[in-house]
Amino acid sequence: MRKIIHIDMDAFFAAVEQRDNPELRGRPVVVGGDPGGRGVVATCSYEAREFGIHSAMSAARAYRLCPQAIFVRPRFEVYCAVSRQLRQIFLDCTELIEPLSLDEAYLDVTENKLNNSSATRIAQIIRQRIFNETGLTASAGVSYNKFLAKVASDVNKPNGLTLVRPEQAAEFIAALPVRRFHGVGRVTEQKMKRLGILTGADLLEHSFEDLHRQFGSSGQYYYQIARGIDERPVVPNRIRKSIGKESTLVEDLADPAQMLTILGRQAEQIALLLKQGETAAHCLTLKVRYADFQTLTRGRTLAAPFCQATVILGIAEELLAKTDAGQQSVRLLGLSVSQFDQEIPVIDPLQLELPFP
Ligand code: TTP
Ligand code: MG
């Protein structure tokens, strides 16, 4: 049986801001964009969460919920520096580290450099070192697979540790609402609800065939997870499936020429990343969100791989012509490339895409 730890920093960006500015401590802090503009909340302190503020909500809404909150812009260089410190602490325990983002990682400590057979003890040592060396708190989940470790790290947040022993797993999963299952988004949650599946216990009532019929290959995952089975290994070098850039526009645009200017900039950034990864892509996807928030994607797959900005922009222009952009004004544009010639490993969490650059 494996020993897996999931580490997740508490209110990461906001905690860093409170650490570096004592005036922010104990107060509702929102890290993100401009509350007077179209900014989005990247994260917020636990004090701010009491007002109902959360990640990905508009900063304007956060302001309405809590006008006395302090709004600060993200400082990515500082968060990246902390992320590097975390990685060093993890590396002192094991090489089997799978970063999920700047502040989150799975560790397989079945065998470890501390020669310690207690994963719980190792998780405590890591949390203590993180606090000593960064002044920040982390939560940990400890169990025998990734699924359980990840869900467990959320149970005693912030600054907590939760162990799920093999003999506790069935009861733990039975009580879990399905939305807590990693991989169950809002759409799947609604579909499960219609089928009467609200918790892990409800999932157990459904046969493998049934779940497969309803949810395709994900159904197999749900079937196994409900039984505490998750054989996914901790993979140190994750492989990147796509590279994308998107921009929420400062003002809605109706002029296709201006849209192409923005797509051109994105094409150049993507071309640069392809070059850095020494690869080329076969597939381009354009994402358009109209002023009324209706969102659509258009994609094209080519037999020959491409990597140049001009080629990307050319395909993007064709794809844009297949939308109503121009007739309708647009508030967001995005491009992403996939199906790479050469795989691009994500070696370091710093290379992971940040949702709100
Ligand atoms: P999370 O670990 O999801 O959130 P958190 O660390 O702020 O809070 P929690 O205590 O619940 O773990 O994300 C880590 C950081 O990633 C977060 O501080 C900000 C950034 N982030 C975004 O920029 N946008 C997002 O939508 C999310 C979810 C996170
Ligand atoms: Mg976190």
Side-chain angles (χ1 to χ4, degrees):
M1 192 153 290
R2 295 179 296 158
K3 294 175 183 175
I4 310 294
I5 300 175
H6 179 258
I7 299 277
D8 185 351
M9 301 295 287
D10 303 317
F12 183 46
F13 294 0
V16 172
E17 298 308 323
Q18 288 180 320
R19 175 192 72 175
D20 294 348
N21 181 355
E23 283 180 19
L24 302 183
R25 292 181 200 160
R27 303 181 55 183
V29 174
V30 178
V31 182
D34 178 8
R38 304 174 79 150
V40 171
V41 175
T43 192
C44 62
S45 66
Y46 278 78
E47 292 86 351
R49 292 180 197 197
E50 285 177 23
F51 294 86
I53 302 174
H54 57 75
S55 293
M57 134 188 313
S58 79
R61 170 127 190 266
Y63 179 80
R64 285 197 296 277
L65 288 170
C66 181
Q68 71 272 33
I70 304 161
F71 289 80
V72 296
R73 297 290 167 273
R75 294 181 301 151
F76 290 110
E77 343 61 76
V78 185
Y79 313 143
C80 288
V82 174
S83 190
R84 249 177 265 130
Q85 283 179 288
L86 298 176
R87 185 166 176 84
Q88 202 49 57
I89 294 169
F90 300 157
L91 270 176
D92 288 342
C93 303
T94 176
E95 300 280 332
L96 279 182
I97 305 162
E98 180 177 1
L100 294 176
S101 69
L102 284 179
D103 85 320
E104 207 182 324
Y106 292 112
L107 282 65
D108 185 328
V109 296
T110 315
E111 282 168 46
N112 61 78
K113 299 181 189 173
L114 306 181
N115 285 321
N116 195 322
S117 63
S118 164
T120 306
R121 183 73 198 114
I122 295 173
Q124 287 296 24
I125 292 169
I126 290 174
R127 290 191 338 108
Q128 188 63 52
R129 268 195 71 186
I130 291 175
F131 186 72
N132 293 348
E133 293 172 31
T134 71
L136 301 167
T137 62
S139 296
V142 179
S143 196
Y144 61 91
N145 64 38
K146 282 164 68 164
F147 170 75
L148 286 165
K150 180 156 169 87
V151 179
S153 72
D154 243 12
V155 171
N156 286 309
K157 234 178 194 314
N159 199 13
L161 181 147
T162 305
L163 164 69
V164 180
R165 296 178 196 280
E167 62 271 23
Q168 299 166 323
E171 204 183 330
F172 181 78
I173 297 165
L176 275 185
V178 287
R179 112 183 81 79
R180 299 283 298 280
F181 284 44
H182 193 51
V184 174
R186 216 173 272 162
V187 175
T188 308
E189 184 189 355
Q190 289 310 318
K191 181 165 178 189
M192 287 191 176
K193 201 169 169 185
R194 285 196 297 276
L195 295 168
I197 305 172
L198 301 177
T199 64
D202 298 332
L203 263 180
L204 282 177
E205 307 282 315
H206 291 255
S207 68
F208 183 87
E209 291 70 28
D210 193 14
L211 290 174
H212 188 81
R213 193 168 49 243
Q214 296 289 350
F215 301 101
S217 57
S218 305
Q220 176 183 357
Y221 171 75
Y222 304 140
Y223 181 87
Q224 296 198 318
I225 289 305
R227 287 158 182 79
I229 301 167
D230 175 9
E231 303 289 357
R232 290 173 304 160
V234 172
V235 184
N237 289 348
R238 300 203 311 142
I239 301 299
R240 237 180 143 128
K241 293 242 164 61
S242 68
I243 294 176
K245 291 283 162 201
E246 60 179 59
S247 330
T248 301
L249 312 174
V250 183
E251 279 177 355
D252 295 345
L253 284 186
D255 176 6
Q258 286 180 313
M259 295 177 203
L260 286 177
T261 308
I262 288 168
L263 291 171
R265 223 174 294 141
Q266 293 173 347
E268 270 166 31
Q269 292 172 333
I270 289 170
L272 185 66
L273 290 168
L274 285 172
K275 193 166 162 224
Q276 285 171 356
E278 297 181 318
T279 191
H282 286 275
C283 180
L284 181 75
T285 306
L286 166 77
K287 176 171 165 184
V288 174
R289 179 168 296 147
Y290 299 127
D292 65 1
F293 276 86
Q294 190 200 331
T295 306
L296 56 92
T297 59
R298 293 284 177 268
R300 193 158 164 217
T301 304
L302 300 181
F306 55 86
C307 59
Q308 284 173 313
T310 48
V311 179
I312 296 173
L313 182 59
I315 307 167
E317 190 170 0
E318 281 175 35
L319 294 173
L320 189 67
K322 291 191 199 166
T323 72
D324 288 336
Q327 287 101 283
Q328 293 202 49
S329 52
V330 159
R331 58 173 287 133
L332 175 145
L333 285 170
L335 285 180
S336 77
V337 293
S338 54
Q339 297 185 23
F340 300 124
D341 246 12
Q342 298 256 31
E343 291 181 329
I344 310 176
V346 180
I347 305 154
D348 185 314
L350 302 186
Q351 295 177 5
L352 284 174
E353 208 91 50
L354 286 159
F356 296 98

